[in-house]
Amino acid sequence: MAKWTPVHEAPEPLEGPVVATVTGGTIIWFVLFLVQLPFYGWFSDHGHLWWLWTCAAGGALGLVGIWYVRGRDAALKRAAAARPETGGQEPGAPSGQA
């Protein structure tokens, strides 16, 4: 079987409201945790306690995700702000002067 090679170039990645998306997902995980918390005994009796801890882990990992995407967003904004200072060229690129 021949190795598959792509026919088309990969499209540019889509940029959207990443910080808002991760924050919204984190809030949903924490809400699910809080909604299930009063039923701790039922979950424990029926062997479904992992549902509760999955929501808690999702919320905790979401906090890490918020920290990460906020830093990424700030770095992208700093890079975009620095770009006009170099005259539209990438840093370290030759200026074209001989």
Side-chain angles (χ1 to χ4, degrees):
M1 181 181 285
K3 183 177 177 182
W4 181 80
T5 56
V7 178
H8 304 287
E9 288 186 35
E12 291 293 321
L14 297 174
E15 287 293 332
V18 179
V19 176
T21 302
V22 174
T23 302
T26 302
I27 290 169
I28 290 171
W29 279 115
F30 275 126
V31 166
L32 287 171
F33 174 74
L34 293 174
V35 166
Q36 293 177 9
L37 199 55
F39 303 102
Y40 185 90
W42 185 90
F43 285 120
S44 181
D45 293 342
H46 291 87
H48 296 299
L49 201 53
W50 64 272
W51 290 8
L52 185 73
W53 299 120
T54 299
C55 293
L61 289 172
L63 291 176
V64 174
I66 291 170
W67 171 77
Y68 179 82
V69 296
R70 288 185 68 201
R72 177 185 179 270
D73 194 44
L76 289 173
K77 287 179 182 176
R78 282 193 307 270
R83 206 168 284 130
E85 296 171 3
T86 62
Q89 292 182 347
E90 294 295 320
S95 63
Q97 297 175 354

